[in-house]
Amino acid sequence: MPSNARATHLTRRGLLAAGGALGLGAALAACGNETKGGASSGAGEKSGSWKFTDDRGTAVETKSTPKNIVAFTGMAAALKDFGVEVKGVFGPTYVEDPKTKERKPDVQAGDLDIAKVKVIGNVWGEFKIEEYLKLNPDVLITDMWEKNDLWYIPAEQKDKILKVAPSVALWAADKSMPTVLQRHADLAASLGADVKTKQILDDKARFEAAAERVRQAAKGKKDIKVLIGSGSPDVFYVSTPVRPTDTLYFQELGVNVIVPEKLDPSGWFELLSWENVDKYKADIILLDNRTSALQPEALKAKPTWAALPAVKAGQVFPRVTEPIYSYAKCAPLLEDLAKALENAKKVA
């Protein structure tokens, strides 16, 4: 599950106040009359109208190819790898040092230059509509983990936000990783990018080679059980592998991924108390690497965690829970998994 708090965001939306946006009515009404300006997308220019059918089945149309693009951070990072630059982002983009105030890119920012994009929201529930309006957006692009639910668009502000510019949503769940990657390439191409450059073709070949390496490693380690988990102070989340794009693909490649028995109402994971964290006997643990989740150093304070066979064997590896959907970023995920499987010992 993609949840930033490892509890379902999709059921918590009503509890997360994003703040009011007072006095926006006139600005929203005038928005459609403003001349679109600002930075180019960086992709090749296309003449004429632009049309793209997204994963909601919505045919999104504009009079010309969008130049002022605002996107969810991970989406923006993927588009950059395919040759499309964005003007603004929302979602986890930077981590700020509380003492020095120095900002470092969040894991979801990829190769984005966080000093050159306007960050209109860096945490869950934060979307600064006033700043969004100033960007004169041509299109808003984000992920979709549940049908018609736009990732990191606060429910309380959704209607106002979607009045400003057309929106595009691509699946980040319920589809296998190769399918999702192709859709991101399709979107980038529609925005004017050349997705058949040598670099991108090389990245794709690397991804395919890594997938085959995982397939072969899984064949040789059928008895190695892999658990997908995420830690929080109070509970440990065991994710189902059948909905996230990465773990669904791992299964397709033959990896023996543990399927939790009792999912919570969201259908994404089973919640275990720390006293019962050993319910599933895993040889490898792929642990949520997001800044919002507890990392191995913090988990050392949990005695039951330290006692797990996979932990004692040093077979805990970071999992990129919200992948950046470019071949350049997804190939290393498969290479790391293949290496983990190749070196894994049966410990559970």
Side-chain angles (χ1 to χ4, degrees):
M1 166 63 187
S3 166
N4 224 33
R6 282 93 46 213
T8 173
H9 279 158
L10 302 171
T11 57
R12 290 183 62 204
R13 284 190 182 276
L15 300 177
L16 292 163
L22 300 178
L24 288 177
L28 289 167
C31 180
N33 297 321
E34 292 186 19
T35 300
K36 302 293 184 181
S40 164
S41 66
E45 296 297 328
K46 283 189 174 182
S47 60
S49 62
W50 176 79
K51 183 175 180 179
F52 182 82
T53 301
D54 74 359
D55 289 349
R56 296 170 296 183
T58 300
V60 184
E61 297 185 60
T62 58
K63 292 181 180 180
S64 60
T65 303
K67 296 179 181 180
N68 293 348
I69 300 170
V70 177
F72 169 67
T73 302
M75 175 67 73
L79 289 174
K80 180 177 177 61
D81 286 349
F82 281 117
V84 177
E85 299 286 347
V86 307
K87 194 173 182 183
V89 296
F90 55 94
T93 307
Y94 61 82
V95 179
E96 187 172 84
D97 187 298
K99 294 182 179 179
T100 66
K101 302 301 179 182
E102 180 185 0
R103 292 180 175 182
K104 295 183 179 180
D106 186 272
V107 293
Q108 295 186 58
D111 293 330
L112 289 176
D113 186 337
I114 63 171
K116 291 185 178 180
V117 294
K118 180 66 176 179
V119 181
I120 62 173
N122 191 53
V123 297
W124 181 259
E126 181 181 60
F127 192 107
K128 300 172 184 175
I129 302 183
E130 295 92 342
E131 298 302 319
Y132 180 51
L133 285 167
K134 291 176 184 177
L135 293 173
N136 293 323
D138 293 314
V139 68
L140 179 147
I141 308 175
T142 189
D143 292 344
M144 184 169 63
W145 292 82
E146 298 283 357
K147 186 67 175 177
N148 297 325
D149 193 283
L150 303 184
W151 193 231
Y152 266 80
I153 301 296
E156 316 85 71
Q157 297 173 284
K158 180 179 178 181
D159 291 344
K160 292 177 180 178
I161 293 169
L162 297 186
K163 285 179 181 178
V164 177
S167 62
V168 170
L170 295 185
W171 275 117
D174 296 335
K175 304 287 182 182
S176 186
M177 184 174 274
T179 299
V180 175
L181 282 166
Q182 184 59 56
R183 288 293 286 154
H184 283 69
D186 292 344
L187 174 60
S190 81
L191 292 168
D194 179 1
V195 297
K196 295 188 181 298
T197 64
K198 183 180 185 303
Q199 183 62 60
I200 293 174
L201 292 177
D202 286 348
D203 291 337
K204 185 176 182 180
R206 178 184 173 189
F207 174 83
E208 292 170 346
E212 183 58 29
R213 182 179 169 189
V214 171
R215 192 189 307 277
Q216 295 305 318
K219 280 184 181 179
K221 296 290 180 74
K222 292 181 179 179
D223 61 333
I224 296 296
K225 294 183 178 181
V226 179
L227 183 143
I228 313 298
S230 183
S232 74
D234 299 322
V235 294
F236 186 73
Y237 296 80
V238 179
S239 296
T240 176
V242 299
R243 296 202 66 187
T245 68
D246 59 334
T247 53
L248 176 58
Y249 192 41
F250 298 166
Q251 280 192 315
E252 293 173 356
L253 293 172
V255 180
N256 186 0
V257 185
I258 291 172
V259 179
E261 299 169 355
K262 189 177 180 180
L263 298 180
D264 82 323
S266 76
W268 284 92
F269 39 64
E270 179 175 353
L271 282 66
L272 299 179
S273 67
W274 282 105
E275 290 76 12
N276 297 314
V277 73
D278 61 349
K279 177 178 178 178
Y280 298 104
K281 310 306 177 186
D283 302 291
I284 289 176
I285 297 175
L286 298 184
L287 189 68
D288 188 347
N289 78 326
R290 292 174 298 176
T291 52
S292 57
L294 294 184
Q295 299 306 304
E297 188 63 31
L299 288 171
K300 287 180 180 179
K302 304 285 187 184
T304 52
W305 168 260
L308 294 176
V311 176
K312 291 196 288 187
Q315 295 184 168
V316 177
F317 305 97
R319 177 206 171 201
V320 180
T321 304
E322 294 186 51
I324 294 170
Y325 288 109
S326 70
Y327 295 108
K329 295 298 185 294
C330 288
L333 308 187
L334 295 179
E335 291 168 346
D336 290 344
L337 176 61
K339 183 178 180 180
L341 287 170
E342 290 162 354
N343 297 327
K345 297 179 180 179
K346 185 68 182 173
V347 295

